[in-house]
PDB file of all heavy atoms in Angstrom:
ATOM      1  N   ALA A 297      46.606-139.032 -95.603  1.00 98.00           N
ATOM      2  CA  ALA A 297      46.269-139.354 -96.994  1.00 98.00           C
ATOM      3  C   ALA A 297      45.721-140.759 -97.114  1.00 98.00           C
ATOM      4  O   ALA A 297      46.327-141.713 -96.674  1.00 98.00           O
ATOM      5  CB  ALA A 297      47.538-139.227 -97.844  1.00 98.00           C
ATOM      6  N   ALA A 298      44.543-140.826 -97.733  1.00 98.00           N
ATOM      7  CA  ALA A 298      43.883-142.123 -97.939  1.00 98.00           C
ATOM      8  C   ALA A 298      44.145-142.587 -99.372  1.00 98.00           C
ATOM      9  O   ALA A 298      43.907-141.859-100.328  1.00 98.00           O
ATOM     10  CB  ALA A 298      42.388-141.949 -97.750  1.00 98.00           C
ATOM     11  N   ASN A 299      44.676-143.815 -99.498  1.00 98.00           N
ATOM     12  CA  ASN A 299      44.896-144.420-100.808  1.00 98.00           C
ATOM     13  C   ASN A 299      43.895-145.502-100.913  1.00 98.00           C
ATOM     14  O   ASN A 299      44.063-146.593-100.364  1.00 98.00           O
ATOM     15  CB  ASN A 299      46.336-144.946-100.862  1.00 98.00           C
ATOM     16  CG  ASN A 299      46.604-145.701-102.157  1.00 98.00           C
ATOM     17  OD1 ASN A 299      45.810-145.691-103.076  1.00 98.00           O
ATOM     18  ND2 ASN A 299      47.745-146.389-102.201  1.00 98.00           N
ATOM     19  N   TRP A 300      42.820-145.284-101.708  1.00 98.00           N
ATOM     20  CA  TRP A 300      41.765-146.269-101.830  1.00 98.00           C
ATOM     21  C   TRP A 300      42.137-147.449-102.753  1.00 98.00           C
ATOM     22  O   TRP A 300      41.413-148.423-102.824  1.00 98.00           O
ATOM     23  CB  TRP A 300      40.495-145.619-102.358  1.00 98.00           C
ATOM     24  CG  TRP A 300      39.718-144.869-101.312  1.00 98.00           C
ATOM     25  CD1 TRP A 300      40.008-144.773 -99.947  1.00 98.00           C
ATOM     26  CD2 TRP A 300      38.506-144.105-101.489  1.00 98.00           C
ATOM     27  NE1 TRP A 300      39.057-144.007 -99.316  1.00 98.00           N
ATOM     28  CE2 TRP A 300      38.113-143.595-100.220  1.00 98.00           C
ATOM     29  CE3 TRP A 300      37.736-143.830-102.599  1.00 98.00           C
ATOM     30  CZ2 TRP A 300      36.992-142.843-100.061  1.00 98.00           C
ATOM     31  CZ3 TRP A 300      36.561-143.053-102.413  1.00 98.00           C
ATOM     32  CH2 TRP A 300      36.203-142.594-101.183  1.00 98.00           C
ATOM     33  N   LYS A 301      43.248-147.307-103.481  1.00 98.00           N
ATOM     34  CA  LYS A 301      43.652-148.317-104.445  1.00 98.00           C
ATOM     35  C   LYS A 301      42.419-148.666-105.330  1.00 98.00           C
ATOM     36  O   LYS A 301      41.679-147.794-105.695  1.00 98.00           O
ATOM     37  CB  LYS A 301      44.202-149.542-103.666  1.00 98.00           C
ATOM     38  CG  LYS A 301      45.319-149.149-102.701  1.00 98.00           C
ATOM     39  CD  LYS A 301      46.055-150.263-102.114  1.00 98.00           C
ATOM     40  CE  LYS A 301      47.068-149.718-101.101  1.00 98.00           C
ATOM     41  NZ  LYS A 301      47.913-150.747-100.479  1.00 98.00           N
ATOM     42  N   ILE A 381      49.722-139.524-106.209  1.00 98.00           N
ATOM     43  CA  ILE A 381      50.700-140.484-105.696  1.00 98.00           C
ATOM     44  C   ILE A 381      51.532-140.988-106.861  1.00 98.00           C
ATOM     45  O   ILE A 381      50.965-141.326-107.917  1.00 98.00           O
ATOM     46  CB  ILE A 381      49.955-141.676-105.052  1.00 98.00           C
ATOM     47  CG1 ILE A 381      49.088-141.193-103.848  1.00 98.00           C
ATOM     48  CG2 ILE A 381      50.926-142.747-104.601  1.00 98.00           C
ATOM     49  CD1 ILE A 381      48.160-142.294-103.258  1.00 98.00           C
ATOM     50  N   HIS A 384      54.146-145.726-106.102  1.00 98.00           N
ATOM     51  CA  HIS A 384      53.720-146.683-105.076  1.00 98.00           C
ATOM     52  C   HIS A 384      54.348-148.054-105.342  1.00 98.00           C
ATOM     53  O   HIS A 384      54.551-148.448-106.471  1.00 98.00           O
ATOM     54  CB  HIS A 384      52.207-146.784-105.092  1.00 98.00           C
ATOM     55  CG  HIS A 384      51.681-147.527-103.877  1.00 98.00           C
ATOM     56  ND1 HIS A 384      51.740-148.918-103.806  1.00 98.00           N
ATOM     57  CD2 HIS A 384      51.129-147.085-102.716  1.00 98.00           C
ATOM     58  CE1 HIS A 384      51.207-149.267-102.620  1.00 98.00           C
ATOM     59  NE2 HIS A 384      50.892-148.206-101.966  1.00 98.00           N
ATOM     60  N   SER A 385      54.687-148.776-104.285  1.00 97.00           N
ATOM     61  CA  SER A 385      55.424-150.026-104.498  1.00 97.00           C
ATOM     62  C   SER A 385      54.625-151.019-105.348  1.00 97.00           C
ATOM     63  O   SER A 385      55.203-151.833-106.027  1.00 97.00           O
ATOM     64  CB  SER A 385      55.803-150.688-103.147  1.00 97.00           C
ATOM     65  OG  SER A 385      54.624-151.005-102.411  1.00 97.00           O
ATOM     66  N   GLU A 386      53.292-150.914-105.274  1.00 97.00           N
ATOM     67  CA  GLU A 386      52.472-151.860-106.063  1.00 97.00           C
ATOM     68  C   GLU A 386      52.640-151.531-107.548  1.00 97.00           C
ATOM     69  O   GLU A 386      52.423-152.386-108.390  1.00 97.00           O
ATOM     70  CB  GLU A 386      50.970-151.746-105.626  1.00 97.00           C
ATOM     71  CG  GLU A 386      50.763-152.388-104.259  1.00 97.00           C
ATOM     72  CD  GLU A 386      49.570-151.914-103.477  1.00 97.00           C
ATOM     73  OE1 GLU A 386      48.714-151.202-104.063  1.00 97.00           O
ATOM     74  OE2 GLU A 386      49.472-152.218-102.303  1.00 97.00           O
ATOM     75  N   CYS A 414      56.563-142.179-103.385  1.00 98.00           N
ATOM     76  CA  CYS A 414      56.671-143.313-102.457  1.00 98.00           C
ATOM     77  C   CYS A 414      58.034-144.049-102.583  1.00 98.00           C
ATOM     78  O   CYS A 414      58.479-144.269-103.715  1.00 98.00           O
ATOM     79  CB  CYS A 414      55.582-144.344-102.712  1.00 98.00           C
ATOM     80  SG  CYS A 414      53.921-143.614-102.550  1.00 98.00           S
ATOM     81  N   ALA A 449      56.578-140.284 -99.172  1.00 98.00           N
ATOM     82  CA  ALA A 449      55.965-141.290 -98.315  1.00 98.00           C
ATOM     83  C   ALA A 449      56.902-142.460 -98.165  1.00 98.00           C
ATOM     84  O   ALA A 449      57.311-143.062 -99.147  1.00 98.00           O
ATOM     85  CB  ALA A 449      54.635-141.755 -98.888  1.00 98.00           C
ATOM     86  N   GLU A 451      57.234-146.047 -97.196  1.00 98.00           N
ATOM     87  CA  GLU A 451      56.384-147.213 -97.017  1.00 98.00           C
ATOM     88  C   GLU A 451      57.211-148.505 -97.150  1.00 98.00           C
ATOM     89  O   GLU A 451      57.467-148.924 -98.286  1.00 98.00           O
ATOM     90  CB  GLU A 451      55.295-147.245 -98.059  1.00 98.00           C
ATOM     91  CG  GLU A 451      54.354-146.027 -98.028  1.00 98.00           C
ATOM     92  CD  GLU A 451      53.025-146.360 -98.667  1.00 98.00           C
ATOM     93  OE1 GLU A 451      52.986-146.684 -99.874  1.00 98.00           O
ATOM     94  OE2 GLU A 451      51.992-146.337 -97.975  1.00 98.00           O
ATOM     95  N   PRO A 452      57.653-149.077 -96.062  1.00 98.00           N
ATOM     96  CA  PRO A 452      58.361-150.356 -96.144  1.00 98.00           C
ATOM     97  C   PRO A 452      57.395-151.356 -96.830  1.00 98.00           C
ATOM     98  O   PRO A 452      56.287-151.561 -96.365  1.00 98.00           O
ATOM     99  CB  PRO A 452      58.674-150.751 -94.700  1.00 98.00           C
ATOM    100  CG  PRO A 452      57.951-149.748 -93.836  1.00 98.00           C
ATOM    101  CD  PRO A 452      57.411-148.634 -94.675  1.00 98.00           C
ATOM    102  N   ILE A 453      57.900-152.007 -97.883  1.00 96.00           N
ATOM    103  CA  ILE A 453      57.004-152.853 -98.706  1.00 96.00           C
ATOM    104  C   ILE A 453      56.391-153.977 -97.845  1.00 96.00           C
ATOM    105  O   ILE A 453      55.237-154.296 -98.006  1.00 96.00           O
ATOM    106  CB  ILE A 453      57.819-153.451 -99.896  1.00 96.00           C
ATOM    107  CG1 ILE A 453      58.308-152.345-100.797  1.00 96.00           C
ATOM    108  CG2 ILE A 453      56.927-154.425-100.687  1.00 96.00           C
ATOM    109  CD1 ILE A 453      59.312-152.796-101.852  1.00 96.00           C
ATOM    110  N   TRP A 454      57.172-154.478 -96.922  1.00 96.00           N
ATOM    111  CA  TRP A 454      56.757-155.612 -96.125  1.00 96.00           C
ATOM    112  C   TRP A 454      55.698-155.228 -95.092  1.00 96.00           C
ATOM    113  O   TRP A 454      55.066-156.069 -94.467  1.00 96.00           O
ATOM    114  CB  TRP A 454      57.946-156.283 -95.410  1.00 96.00           C
ATOM    115  CG  TRP A 454      58.825-155.252 -94.693  1.00 96.00           C
ATOM    116  CD1 TRP A 454      59.826-154.502 -95.228  1.00 96.00           C
ATOM    117  CD2 TRP A 454      58.736-154.867 -93.324  1.00 96.00           C
ATOM    118  NE1 TRP A 454      60.380-153.678 -94.309  1.00 96.00           N
ATOM    119  CE2 TRP A 454      59.720-153.878 -93.114  1.00 96.00           C
ATOM    120  CE3 TRP A 454      57.926-155.229 -92.271  1.00 96.00           C
ATOM    121  CZ2 TRP A 454      59.924-153.257 -91.874  1.00 96.00           C
ATOM    122  CZ3 TRP A 454      58.111-154.641 -91.059  1.00 96.00           C
ATOM    123  CH2 TRP A 454      59.075-153.680 -90.881  1.00 96.00           C
ATOM    124  N   ALA A 455      55.473-153.898 -94.913  1.00 96.00           N
ATOM    125  CA  ALA A 455      54.443-153.449 -93.955  1.00 96.00           C
ATOM    126  C   ALA A 455      53.119-153.086 -94.636  1.00 96.00           C
ATOM    127  O   ALA A 455      52.110-152.841 -93.969  1.00 96.00           O
ATOM    128  CB  ALA A 455      54.978-152.233 -93.199  1.00 96.00           C
ATOM    129  N   ILE A 456      53.122-153.122 -95.981  1.00 95.00           N
ATOM    130  CA  ILE A 456      51.889-152.698 -96.679  1.00 95.00           C
ATOM    131  C   ILE A 456      50.882-153.834 -96.702  1.00 95.00           C
ATOM    132  O   ILE A 456      51.147-154.915 -97.258  1.00 95.00           O
ATOM    133  CB  ILE A 456      52.247-152.220 -98.109  1.00 95.00           C
ATOM    134  CG1 ILE A 456      53.089-150.949 -98.039  1.00 95.00           C
ATOM    135  CG2 ILE A 456      50.965-151.953 -98.917  1.00 95.00           C
ATOM    136  CD1 ILE A 456      53.588-150.490 -99.372  1.00 95.00           C
ATOM    137  N   GLY A 457      49.749-153.568 -96.114  1.00 94.00           N
ATOM    138  CA  GLY A 457      48.620-154.525 -96.147  1.00 94.00           C
ATOM    139  C   GLY A 457      48.865-155.819 -95.373  1.00 94.00           C
ATOM    140  O   GLY A 457      48.161-156.804 -95.469  1.00 94.00           O
ATOM    141  N   THR A 458      49.945-155.821 -94.516  1.00 94.00           N
ATOM    142  CA  THR A 458      50.290-157.057 -93.825  1.00 94.00           C
ATOM    143  C   THR A 458      49.980-157.054 -92.349  1.00 94.00           C
ATOM    144  O   THR A 458      50.014-158.063 -91.678  1.00 94.00           O
ATOM    145  CB  THR A 458      51.820-157.296 -93.932  1.00 94.00           C
ATOM    146  OG1 THR A 458      52.444-156.149 -93.353  1.00 94.00           O
ATOM    147  CG2 THR A 458      52.241-157.476 -95.398  1.00 94.00           C
ATOM    148  N   GLY A 459      49.702-155.851 -91.819  1.00 93.00           N
ATOM    149  CA  GLY A 459      49.510-155.719 -90.366  1.00 93.00           C
ATOM    150  C   GLY A 459      50.820-155.599 -89.656  1.00 93.00           C
ATOM    151  O   GLY A 459      50.849-155.374 -88.426  1.00 93.00           O
ATOM    152  N   LYS A 460      51.954-155.782 -90.352  1.00 92.00           N
ATOM    153  CA  LYS A 460      53.290-155.631 -89.723  1.00 92.00           C
ATOM    154  C   LYS A 460      53.729-154.181 -89.819  1.00 92.00           C
ATOM    155  O   LYS A 460      53.603-153.561 -90.841  1.00 92.00           O
ATOM    156  CB  LYS A 460      54.304-156.511 -90.428  1.00 92.00           C
ATOM    157  CG  LYS A 460      54.099-157.976 -90.285  1.00 92.00           C
ATOM    158  CD  LYS A 460      55.250-158.724 -90.933  1.00 92.00           C
ATOM    159  CE  LYS A 460      54.847-160.165 -91.137  1.00 92.00           C
ATOM    160  NZ  LYS A 460      55.402-160.698 -92.382  1.00 92.00           N
ATOM    161  N   TYR A 486      54.507-141.571 -93.200  1.00 98.00           N
ATOM    162  CA  TYR A 486      54.761-143.025 -93.005  1.00 98.00           C
ATOM    163  C   TYR A 486      53.559-143.779 -93.552  1.00 98.00           C
ATOM    164  O   TYR A 486      52.376-143.369 -93.343  1.00 98.00           O
ATOM    165  CB  TYR A 486      54.936-143.354 -91.534  1.00 98.00           C
ATOM    166  CG  TYR A 486      54.950-144.860 -91.401  1.00 98.00           C
ATOM    167  CD1 TYR A 486      56.043-145.616 -91.700  1.00 98.00           C
ATOM    168  CD2 TYR A 486      53.745-145.519 -91.050  1.00 98.00           C
ATOM    169  CE1 TYR A 486      55.978-146.986 -91.698  1.00 98.00           C
ATOM    170  CE2 TYR A 486      53.712-146.922 -91.023  1.00 98.00           C
ATOM    171  CZ  TYR A 486      54.832-147.637 -91.376  1.00 98.00           C
ATOM    172  OH  TYR A 486      54.762-149.044 -91.390  1.00 98.00           O
ATOM    173  N   GLY A 487      53.811-144.854 -94.226  1.00 98.00           N
ATOM    174  CA  GLY A 487      52.713-145.738 -94.725  1.00 98.00           C
ATOM    175  C   GLY A 487      53.046-147.180 -94.552  1.00 98.00           C
ATOM    176  O   GLY A 487      54.181-147.600 -94.597  1.00 98.00           O
ATOM    177  N   GLY A 488      52.021-147.959 -94.290  1.00 97.00           N
ATOM    178  CA  GLY A 488      52.143-149.424 -94.074  1.00 97.00           C
ATOM    179  C   GLY A 488      51.464-149.829 -92.800  1.00 97.00           C
ATOM    180  O   GLY A 488      51.964-149.658 -91.700  1.00 97.00           O
ATOM    181  N   SER A 489      50.203-150.347 -92.998  1.00 96.00           N
ATOM    182  CA  SER A 489      49.445-150.868 -91.865  1.00 96.00           C
ATOM    183  C   SER A 489      49.158-149.852 -90.768  1.00 96.00           C
ATOM    184  O   SER A 489      49.078-150.191 -89.592  1.00 96.00           O
ATOM    185  CB  SER A 489      50.080-152.127 -91.289  1.00 96.00           C
ATOM    186  OG  SER A 489      50.151-153.157 -92.248  1.00 96.00           O
ATOM    187  N   VAL A 490      48.994-148.580 -91.146  1.00 97.00           N
ATOM    188  CA  VAL A 490      48.539-147.583 -90.183  1.00 97.00           C
ATOM    189  C   VAL A 490      47.040-147.816 -89.927  1.00 97.00           C
ATOM    190  O   VAL A 490      46.255-148.015 -90.853  1.00 97.00           O
ATOM    191  CB  VAL A 490      48.736-146.106 -90.726  1.00 97.00           C
ATOM    192  CG1 VAL A 490      48.145-145.083 -89.753  1.00 97.00           C
ATOM    193  CG2 VAL A 490      50.208-145.820 -90.933  1.00 97.00           C
ATOM    194  N   LYS A 491      46.665-147.809 -88.643  1.00 97.00           N
ATOM    195  CA  LYS A 491      45.283-148.061 -88.239  1.00 97.00           C
ATOM    196  C   LYS A 491      44.926-147.115 -87.094  1.00 97.00           C
ATOM    197  O   LYS A 491      45.850-146.530 -86.501  1.00 97.00           O
ATOM    198  CB  LYS A 491      45.187-149.497 -87.680  1.00 97.00           C
ATOM    199  CG  LYS A 491      45.539-150.595 -88.650  1.00 97.00           C
ATOM    200  CD  LYS A 491      45.222-151.940 -88.044  1.00 97.00           C
ATOM    201  CE  LYS A 491      46.369-152.671 -87.461  1.00 97.00           C
ATOM    202  NZ  LYS A 491      47.600-152.877 -88.132  1.00 97.00           N
ATOM    203  N   ALA A 507      50.482-139.566 -92.629  1.00 98.00           N
ATOM    204  CA  ALA A 507      50.419-141.034 -92.942  1.00 98.00           C
ATOM    205  C   ALA A 507      49.752-141.206 -94.278  1.00 98.00           C
ATOM    206  O   ALA A 507      48.911-140.414 -94.737  1.00 98.00           O
ATOM    207  CB  ALA A 507      49.604-141.684 -91.852  1.00 98.00           C
ATOM    208  N   LEU A 508      50.153-142.296 -94.950  1.00 98.00           N
ATOM    209  CA  LEU A 508      49.511-142.752 -96.178  1.00 98.00           C
ATOM    210  C   LEU A 508      48.873-144.069 -95.815  1.00 98.00           C
ATOM    211  O   LEU A 508      49.536-145.002 -95.389  1.00 98.00           O
ATOM    212  CB  LEU A 508      50.547-142.904 -97.289  1.00 98.00           C
ATOM    213  CG  LEU A 508      50.009-143.344 -98.675  1.00 98.00           C
ATOM    214  CD1 LEU A 508      48.918-142.391 -99.198  1.00 98.00           C
ATOM    215  CD2 LEU A 508      51.174-143.405 -99.709  1.00 98.00           C
ATOM    216  N   ILE A 509      47.548-144.128 -95.981  1.00 98.00           N
ATOM    217  CA  ILE A 509      46.797-145.243 -95.420  1.00 98.00           C
ATOM    218  C   ILE A 509      45.995-145.941 -96.516  1.00 98.00           C
ATOM    219  O   ILE A 509      45.210-145.312 -97.214  1.00 98.00           O
ATOM    220  CB  ILE A 509      45.789-144.668 -94.337  1.00 98.00           C
ATOM    221  CG1 ILE A 509      46.587-143.810 -93.350  1.00 98.00           C
ATOM    222  CG2 ILE A 509      45.101-145.846 -93.632  1.00 98.00           C
ATOM    223  CD1 ILE A 509      45.811-142.580 -92.943  1.00 98.00           C
ATOM    224  N   GLY A 510      46.154-147.265 -96.572  1.00 98.00           N
ATOM    225  CA  GLY A 510      45.372-148.048 -97.529  1.00 98.00           C
ATOM    226  C   GLY A 510      44.113-148.637 -96.834  1.00 98.00           C
ATOM    227  O   GLY A 510      43.077-147.943 -96.741  1.00 98.00           O
ATOM    228  N   GLY A 511      44.218-149.872 -96.409  1.00 98.00           N
ATOM    229  CA  GLY A 511      43.064-150.610 -95.898  1.00 98.00           C
ATOM    230  C   GLY A 511      42.206-149.821 -94.904  1.00 98.00           C
ATOM    231  O   GLY A 511      40.960-149.851 -94.967  1.00 98.00           O
ATOM    232  N   ALA A 512      42.859-149.190 -93.958  1.00 98.00           N
ATOM    233  CA  ALA A 512      42.126-148.484 -92.881  1.00 98.00           C
ATOM    234  C   ALA A 512      41.506-147.138 -93.325  1.00 98.00           C
ATOM    235  O   ALA A 512      40.929-146.451 -92.527  1.00 98.00           O
ATOM    236  CB  ALA A 512      43.045-148.280 -91.630  1.00 98.00           C
ATOM    237  N   SER A 513      41.661-146.800 -94.616  1.00 98.00           N
ATOM    238  CA  SER A 513      41.083-145.559 -95.082  1.00 98.00           C
ATOM    239  C   SER A 513      39.760-145.746 -95.832  1.00 98.00           C
ATOM    240  O   SER A 513      39.152-144.786 -96.229  1.00 98.00           O
ATOM    241  CB  SER A 513      42.075-144.832 -96.022  1.00 98.00           C
ATOM    242  OG  SER A 513      42.085-145.445 -97.310  1.00 98.00           O
ATOM    243  N   LEU A 514      39.353-146.982 -95.940  1.00 98.00           N
ATOM    244  CA  LEU A 514      38.153-147.254 -96.760  1.00 98.00           C
ATOM    245  C   LEU A 514      36.859-146.951 -95.985  1.00 98.00           C
ATOM    246  O   LEU A 514      35.861-146.630 -96.567  1.00 98.00           O
ATOM    247  CB  LEU A 514      38.145-148.701 -97.247  1.00 98.00           C
ATOM    248  CG  LEU A 514      39.383-149.120 -98.068  1.00 98.00           C
ATOM    249  CD1 LEU A 514      39.275-150.612 -98.444  1.00 98.00           C
ATOM    250  CD2 LEU A 514      39.491-148.285 -99.349  1.00 98.00           C
ATOM    251  N   ILE A 522      41.865-141.994 -87.234  1.00 97.00           N
ATOM    252  CA  ILE A 522      43.295-141.768 -87.453  1.00 97.00           C
ATOM    253  C   ILE A 522      43.567-140.235 -87.523  1.00 97.00           C
ATOM    254  O   ILE A 522      44.524-139.787 -86.905  1.00 97.00           O
ATOM    255  CB  ILE A 522      43.728-142.420 -88.805  1.00 97.00           C
ATOM    256  CG1 ILE A 522      43.623-143.959 -88.655  1.00 97.00           C
ATOM    257  CG2 ILE A 522      45.127-142.001 -89.239  1.00 97.00           C
ATOM    258  CD1 ILE A 522      43.772-144.715 -89.959  1.00 97.00           C
TER     259      ILE A 522
HETATM  260  P1  PGA B 626      47.940-150.260 -95.992  1.00 84.90           P
HETATM  261  O1  PGA B 626      48.484-149.636 -97.334  1.00 84.90           O
HETATM  262  O2  PGA B 626      47.599-149.128 -95.084  1.00 84.90           O
HETATM  263  O3  PGA B 626      46.795-151.117 -96.383  1.00 84.90           O
HETATM  264  O4  PGA B 626      49.097-151.068 -95.404  1.00 84.90           O
HETATM  265  C1  PGA B 626      49.277-148.469 -97.390  1.00 84.90           C
HETATM  266  C2  PGA B 626      49.629-148.124 -98.773  1.00 84.90           C
HETATM  267  O5  PGA B 626      49.784-149.014 -99.629  1.00 84.90           O
HETATM  268  O6  PGA B 626      49.714-146.904 -99.111  1.00 84.90           O
END
Side-chain angles (χ1 to χ4, degrees):
N299 175 10
W300 281 358
K301 308 189 180 181
I381 299 170
H384 191 282
S385 64
E386 288 156 12
C414 302
E451 299 202 298
I453 297 169
W454 50 275
I456 294 175
T458 59
K460 291 185 197 145
Y486 168 79
S489 297
V490 175
K491 300 187 260 310
L508 182 56
I509 309 139
S513 76
L514 303 177
I522 293 169

